């Protein structure tokens, strides 16, 4: 429980006297659940080939990871007297309450979910009777609500692909007060992001272990990260080809794959559904809040906008796709080439304007105006270590040659 009081007085060439008081009260609570609250129903399969490392080490947590809540009250009272009108006092007062709640749950070692909710309320009506606020448990006039859900799935049994999937919906509600009329603006945004990092080298190492693999780096590193890595590796690399001819072929493939770093690919799909000046007491659908539905209503009924008092109800929908693929190639130890291809498009459908579309992607221009080119990845080449040639190391400390191209259409 925290409490703070602040009182300020100031005066300048325009303000004769300004007196302000601010009182802040806050309280928060958090609880961390035990780390051992999990079940391992498939532990008996840990020695099975292939799936033993996946099922045998699976953990299913039956309690959340962390729960936290916070509430704060902020009261401000300001009185200002201008020098041009010393008999006129300008008064301003605000009394607000902020509440937040968050729940973190780790369902498995690779699947986690975090939920956060924030509520902002105006308590000006309780200025002279604050006890009734506690006695009646009155939340006051709710001005804004926001909810956010973050979900992450990152399986650890496919190290050669390193997939990660994120699903992050966000919902906001804001109150509008114009004279005696109240309306609300709501917005639902959703982001689905998938990312992979493909390693041909690690694919080959699923069935092939180089001769110097076990001797290099075996004693490096310390801490729990190393033990988990080595444990995961031992459960996945149970096959090691012994046939000399096949090992010769796989060895050549492994050497070539070592020059190609991981190929990273990211796909992000975003949506946004925005509605303005709708009834403030409208109960929005949970499917809309989760970003899975365009309409905020559960039924097929059309949404009624408030249009009185010169208010205009409106809506807007937007969709976007973003793709990015990148990798790097070690031509030699000192020459490294980076490749990056990007593609992005968006669609916006407002209710009171025309539909807009946009598209851009990596492009190599050709022709007089550059519009006869072709989609091609951007690149950069770095050549380092040139100072080691001849007598250059006696004159220069480092010499690097860089070249790059970046085009977009």
């Amino acid at each position: 429980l925290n409490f703070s009081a602040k009182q300020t007085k100031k005066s300048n060439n325009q303000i004769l006297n300004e007196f302000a008081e601010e009182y802040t009260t806050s309280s928060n609570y958090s609880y961390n659940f035990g780390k051992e609250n999990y079940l391992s129903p498939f532990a008996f399969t840990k020695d099975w080939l292939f799936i033993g490392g996946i099922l045998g080490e699976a953990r299913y947590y039956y309690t959340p990871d962390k729960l936290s809540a916070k509430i704060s009250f902020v009261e401000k009272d300001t009185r200002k007297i201008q020098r041009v009108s010393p008999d006129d006092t300008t008064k301003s007062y605000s009394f607000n309450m902020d509440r937040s709640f968050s729940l973190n749950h780790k369902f498995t070692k690779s699947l986690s979910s975090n939920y956060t909710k924030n509520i902002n309320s105006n308590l000006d009506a309780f200025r002279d009777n604050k006890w009734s606020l506690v006695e009646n448990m009155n939340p006051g006039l709710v001005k804004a609500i926001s909810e956010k859900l973050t979900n992450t799935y990152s399986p650890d049994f496919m190290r050669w692909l390193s997939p990660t999937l994120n699903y992050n919906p966000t919902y906001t509600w804001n109150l509008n007060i114009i004279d005696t009329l109240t309306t609300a603006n709501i917005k639902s945004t959703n982001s689905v992001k998938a990312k992979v990092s493909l390693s041909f080298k690690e694919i080959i190492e699923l069935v092939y272990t180089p001769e110097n693999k076990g001797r290099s780096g075996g004693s490096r590193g310390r801490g729990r990260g190393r033990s988990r890595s080595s444990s995961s590796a031992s459960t996945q690399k149970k096959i090691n080809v012994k046939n000399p001819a096949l090992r010769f072929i796989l060895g050549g493939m492994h050497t070539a794959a070592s020059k190609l770093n991981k190929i990273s690919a990211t796909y992000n799909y975003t949506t946004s559904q925005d509605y303005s000046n709708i009834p403030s007491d409208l109960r929005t659908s949970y499917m809309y809040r989760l970003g899975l539905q365009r309409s905020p209503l559960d039924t097929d009924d059309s949404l009624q906008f408030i249009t009185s008092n010169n208010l205009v109800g409106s809506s807007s929908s937007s969709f976007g796709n973003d793709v990015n693929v990148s990798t790097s190639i070690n031509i030699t130890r000192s020459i490294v080439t980076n490749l990056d291809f990007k593609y992005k498009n968006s669609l916006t459908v407002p209710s009171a304007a025309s539909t807009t579309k946009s598209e851009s992607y990596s492009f190599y221009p050709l022709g007089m105006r550059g519009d006869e080119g072709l989609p091609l990845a951007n690149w950069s080449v770095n050549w380092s270590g040139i100072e080691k040639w001849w007598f250059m190391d006696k004159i220069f400390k480092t010499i690097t040659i860089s070249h790059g191209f970046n085009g977009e259409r």
Side-chain angles (χ1 to χ4, degrees), residues 72-362:
S72 64
F73 299 87
V74 179
E75 184 180 19
K76 296 180 180 180
D77 188 7
T78 305
R79 295 182 293 275
K80 185 185 300 183
I81 301 176
Q82 302 287 342
R83 291 187 181 274
V84 295
S85 55
D87 296 330
D88 187 14
T89 301
T90 303
K91 300 180 181 179
S92 64
Y93 177 82
S94 65
F95 186 21
N96 297 309
M97 175 178 64
D98 289 307
R99 292 170 289 167
S100 63
F101 170 81
S102 64
L103 180 66
N104 304 336
H105 195 165
K106 189 175 182 180
F107 297 95
T108 65
K109 291 190 295 183
S110 57
L111 176 62
S112 62
S113 180
N114 301 328
Y115 172 75
T116 304
K117 185 173 184 178
N118 298 286
I119 304 175
N120 175 263
S121 301
N122 181 275
L123 305 178
D124 290 356
F126 299 93
R127 177 177 184 178
D128 300 322
N129 189 11
K130 296 181 175 62
W131 177 248
S132 63
L133 174 67
V134 180
E135 185 179 19
N136 300 322
M137 298 297 291
N138 194 323
L141 180 63
V142 178
K143 300 292 293 291
I145 300 175
S146 65
E147 294 179 278
K148 184 176 181 179
L149 186 63
T150 304
N151 303 279
T152 303
Y153 177 64
S154 181
D156 57 357
F157 57 85
M158 289 189 293
R159 294 180 56 202
W160 53 272
L161 188 60
S162 300
T164 301
L165 181 64
N166 298 98
Y167 165 59
N168 305 324
T170 302
Y171 168 76
T172 58
W173 180 94
N174 292 280
L175 182 67
N176 303 319
I177 301 179
I178 303 177
D179 296 331
T180 58
L181 185 65
T182 60
T183 66
N185 298 339
I186 59 175
K187 185 176 183 179
S188 173
T189 60
N190 184 21
S191 172
V192 179
K193 184 177 181 180
K195 181 179 180 181
V196 295
S197 296
L198 178 62
S199 174
F200 290 104
K201 176 183 175 182
E202 293 185 0
I203 292 178
I204 297 173
E205 289 180 354
L206 291 176
V207 295
Y208 168 80
T209 302
E211 298 296 337
N212 58 351
K213 184 69 175 179
R215 296 192 297 268
S216 62
S219 59
R220 296 180 182 176
R222 55 183 175 182
R224 289 180 292 178
R226 176 180 173 270
S227 62
R228 286 195 300 267
S229 177
S230 60
S231 175
S232 177
S234 63
T235 56
Q236 293 184 12
K237 300 176 183 178
K238 289 189 175 182
I239 299 178
N240 187 18
V241 174
K242 302 298 183 182
N243 184 279
L246 190 55
R247 285 188 62 83
F248 177 78
I249 297 175
L250 291 175
M253 296 173 61
H254 185 271
T255 302
S258 299
K259 295 183 178 296
L260 177 65
N261 293 329
K262 289 186 176 182
I263 301 176
S264 299
T266 303
Y267 172 72
N268 191 17
Y269 174 70
T270 58
T271 63
S272 178
Q273 312 295 336
D274 194 350
Y275 292 84
S276 301
N277 293 324
I278 65 172
S280 58
D281 57 351
L282 179 70
R283 296 181 61 89
T284 56
S285 166
Y286 281 102
M287 296 296 288
Y288 171 80
R289 299 184 187 186
L290 293 173
L292 303 176
Q293 182 175 292
R294 293 187 62 176
S295 173
L297 301 177
D298 284 319
T299 62
D300 295 332
D301 299 336
S302 59
L303 181 63
Q304 300 296 324
F305 294 96
I306 297 178
T307 57
S308 59
N309 287 15
N310 296 324
L311 293 178
V312 178
S314 62
S315 65
S316 177
S317 300
S318 61
F319 310 88
N321 294 277
D322 193 349
V323 180
N324 186 11
V325 181
S326 62
T327 188
S328 62
I329 303 174
N330 298 325
I331 300 177
T332 65
R333 290 184 177 181
S334 58
I335 302 178
V336 180
T337 301
N338 298 302
L339 302 174
D340 185 19
F341 182 84
K342 297 179 180 180
Y343 174 83
K344 183 177 182 180
N345 65 28
S346 63
L347 172 66
T348 303
V349 186
S351 62
S354 58
T355 301
T356 59
K357 297 180 181 180
S358 65
E359 184 182 40
S360 64
Y361 52 90
S362 301

Side-chain angles (χ1 to χ4, degrees), residues 352-406:
S354 58
T355 301
T356 59
K357 297 180 181 180
S358 65
E359 184 182 40
S360 64
Y361 52 90
S362 301
F363 187 77
Y364 185 79
L366 295 173
M368 293 293 296
R369 297 190 303 173
D371 57 349
E372 299 178 1
L374 68 158
L376 191 65
N378 300 320
W379 69 78
S380 66
V381 181
N382 295 307
W383 189 355
S384 60
I386 302 178
E387 72 280 355
K388 298 178 182 179
W389 293 6
W390 303 307
F391 58 89
M392 291 185 180
D393 57 340
K394 299 179 181 179
I395 304 176
F396 304 100
K397 187 175 181 180
T398 58
I399 300 178
T400 302
I401 298 177
S402 300
H403 164 73
F405 169 79
N406 190 1

